[in-house]
Amino acid sequence: MEIAVDASHQPHSLSGEGDDTLLRRYVTMLAEIHGQVPDPAEVADLVAAVVQPTGWTDTVDGRRPVLAEATRRVDSALGVATTSERACHLRAAAAVGAGLVHPGLDGSQAPIPPSTRGSTAVRFLDAEIIAIYW
């Protein structure tokens, strides 16, 4: 869940030159979850191939298409298929690891690990909940 806050209050902002930190972490985690030991040169090539619009790390909605493209590229390179549920958990873990958390969170709440169930009958909805208080 992304909470709109002034960037000056965030503990670590990836805007600007460090935008690919999140992407590198995500690509590495994605390869590892499929049992591959990622080569730093291959990770760098995959990161360079992904289109990264300015400010894409600022919001969850901005991150989703970039990380989805990275997922497609890694899946294609490794010949695997990443489920939506697993990709969602990896996105959250990579964002926490890259310091993109709300200032009220200390990072001690790790995301729930991806399910290893093989059932195709389970459906997963990738959504955000927004609450507004007056």
Side-chain angles (χ1 to χ4, degrees), residues 3-10 103:
I3 299 176
V5 288
D6 182 12
S8 65
H9 291 97
Q10 291 185 354

Side-chain angles (χ1 to χ4, degrees), residues 15-27:
S15 296
E17 62 188 48
D19 279 352
D20 64 341
T21 302
L22 170 63
L23 194 52
R24 284 179 187 279
R25 182 176 297 274
Y26 180 74
V27 167

Side-chain angles (χ1 to χ4, degrees), residues 20 44 76 94 96 102 110 125:
D20 64 341
S76 176
V96 168
H102 183 269
L125 177 64

